[in-house]
Amino acid sequence: MQSTYASRFGRWDDLAGVRRKPQRRLLEAADLYFPPELYPVVGHPLVAARGPAAVRTLLLNRLYDYLDFTTELENLAVIPVASKIARGTSGLLLPRQMQADAFKIVTDEAWHAQFSFDFTQELEQVTGVPHAAGGAPVFVQRLDEIAAQLPRQVAGLEALLFAIVSETLISGLLSHLPRDERLPSPVRDLVRDHAEDEGRHHVYFRSVLRHLWPALTLRERHAVGPQIPAIIQAFLTPDHAQVATRLAAVGLSNEEILQVITESWPEHELMGEIAQSAAPAVRYFTEVGALDDSRTRDAFLEAGLLAPAPDTDTGAGAGGGCAAGRPEHLTPGAPKTPQDANTPGSTRP
């Protein structure tokens, strides 16, 4: 196990958004709330034919969905995992400083969820357009499906790995939105505040992975390794059902919706984009030795997350993914025996 840990939270009181940034307020309506380039359905001819008002509504709802995704991701996926690490009930033996920093991450993520929720309410008031919630985020269903395929001895590990993936694959939206001067400054500032905190979280959860993987038994690695690509895809793959709901609301038929979604996200292009966005996580899992297992490497290859190396049947290079921005697009147990001391307990909410 990697025993060293260099904290990035030494100046947390001076840098954290919850400590030093004001709550962002939207005071007046705007013409554009989300970059159309990052929501390809609005450029489709069938959507454009519905007129500028329909496009504006779709882009406003895209911002609603992004804010809702942030609130749900933090509450359902990240806070429960960080809380267990902080309380020492994750099943991992970690340096005390990592536990202390996990408390700070819980505070950060609760603030991200709160300001996203609050900003949604302000959007509704300023625009007069209500936010129609889309139900549970699709990653919850995807994680449940993955969990159902895992042996009992690694139950809950998918949630810890999902938290690692979601915190190390910083959303493309966190990079793009703050720089888009077409958007209202409160939108850009809110996303920038989030991005600055997530930079510290990225480094932290990369360190969690470095402690986690060596702590797993060979049997546990063989069980969970082949599921890692599905966990990555659970985070990066667009929520097409949510998109369909938004398209139906502006008057598209079922046939038109299917055509718009299929043509806006061609499968081969989507796989390439997911691979591109997944590249940092693929590199981190490679560094800790997860891909040394042939079944795990094969799963990464089959998912399109690795480029096969020439003249060999094992891939060497990580492809690069979906703008995490397309999902922009969008959980208690102490160790019981020394042998299990570094095996995470259930982390599913």
Side-chain angles (χ1 to χ4, degrees):
M1 183 182 79
Q2 292 278 353
S3 58
T4 59
Y5 171 65
S7 175
R8 292 286 297 273
F9 292 82
R11 297 184 58 215
W12 181 77
D13 283 313
D14 298 323
L15 300 175
V18 68
R19 293 296 206 202
R20 62 181 291 266
K21 298 293 179 67
Q23 186 158 8
R24 305 303 180 178
R25 301 288 186 183
L26 188 68
L27 302 179
E28 58 185 10
D31 293 328
L32 185 69
Y33 290 98
F34 195 88
E37 301 83 5
L38 297 182
Y39 198 39
V41 294
V42 299
H44 194 282
L46 289 176
V47 174
R50 296 284 168 173
V55 171
R56 283 196 298 270
T57 297
L58 286 168
L59 291 172
L60 173 57
N61 277 302
R62 185 64 199 88
L63 179 57
Y64 277 141
D65 291 337
Y66 168 70
L67 295 170
D68 191 51
F69 179 85
T70 299
T71 299
E72 296 296 273
L73 179 70
E74 309 296 32
N75 278 316
L76 297 178
V78 183
I79 290 176
V81 169
S83 179
K84 288 182 179 181
I85 293 174
R87 290 160 39 232
T89 60
S90 68
L92 282 170
L93 292 180
L94 300 173
R96 292 287 290 175
Q97 187 60 53
M98 287 191 75
Q99 287 185 241
D101 288 348
F103 275 111
K104 296 180 176 68
I105 290 175
V106 171
T107 302
D108 285 344
E109 302 296 31
W111 173 235
H112 300 161
Q114 180 183 335
F115 70 47
S116 297
F117 178 83
D118 290 346
F119 201 81
T120 295
Q121 293 185 302
E122 292 194 4
L123 272 174
E124 290 180 306
Q125 293 173 1
V126 169
T127 66
V129 178
H131 167 45
V138 71
F139 72 78
V140 174
Q141 175 187 340
R142 292 169 180 165
L143 281 180
D144 284 343
E145 293 170 352
I146 293 168
Q149 300 179 49
L150 291 175
R152 183 175 56 85
Q153 70 266 26
V154 292
L157 189 54
E158 79 289 341
L160 176 53
L161 289 169
F162 182 80
I164 290 170
V165 166
S166 66
E167 291 296 285
T168 55
L169 296 183
I170 297 176
S171 168
L173 286 183
L174 293 180
S175 300
H176 290 102
L177 266 62
R179 300 197 302 265
D180 194 331
E181 296 186 358
R182 298 171 299 175
L183 306 180
S185 59
V187 173
R188 292 185 280 119
D189 291 339
L190 179 141
V191 178
R192 183 181 295 110
D193 293 347
H194 190 179
E196 290 176 359
D197 287 339
E198 290 302 329
R200 288 183 289 277
H201 299 183
H202 176 115
V203 175
Y204 179 88
F205 276 93
R206 183 180 181 184
S207 185
V208 171
L209 177 61
R210 287 171 170 169
H211 284 79
L212 166 66
W213 202 258
L216 297 177
T217 66
L218 188 60
R219 183 178 180 184
E220 289 165 343
R221 295 180 201 175
H222 288 170
V224 75
Q227 296 298 326
I228 296 171
I231 292 170
I232 292 172
Q233 291 170 329
F235 178 63
L236 293 178
T237 304
D239 187 347
H240 288 161
Q242 184 181 74
V243 176
T245 298
R246 300 306 181 204
L247 293 174
V250 297
L252 271 68
S253 68
N254 290 339
E255 292 77 12
E256 290 173 325
I257 290 170
L258 179 60
Q259 180 181 347
V260 169
I261 291 176
T262 301
E263 294 177 357
S264 297
W265 285 289
E267 184 175 359
H268 67 285
E269 292 183 9
L270 181 58
M271 288 183 65
E273 291 174 343
I274 290 175
Q276 182 179 350
S277 287
V282 174
R283 184 167 67 252
Y284 302 156
F285 280 104
T286 301
E287 288 173 352
V288 298
L291 276 70
D292 293 347
D293 174 66
S294 60
R295 288 181 62 247
T296 298
R297 177 172 284 273
D298 288 346
F300 273 79
L301 284 165
E302 185 176 352
L305 300 179
L306 286 176
D311 301 324
T312 179
D313 56 3
T314 58
C322 161
R326 284 206 180 159
E328 47 179 63
H329 344 10
L330 30 337
T331 283
K336 297 180 180 179
T337 69
Q339 180 179 359
D340 297 331
N342 277 305
T343 302
S346 175
T347 52
R348 200 161 359 125

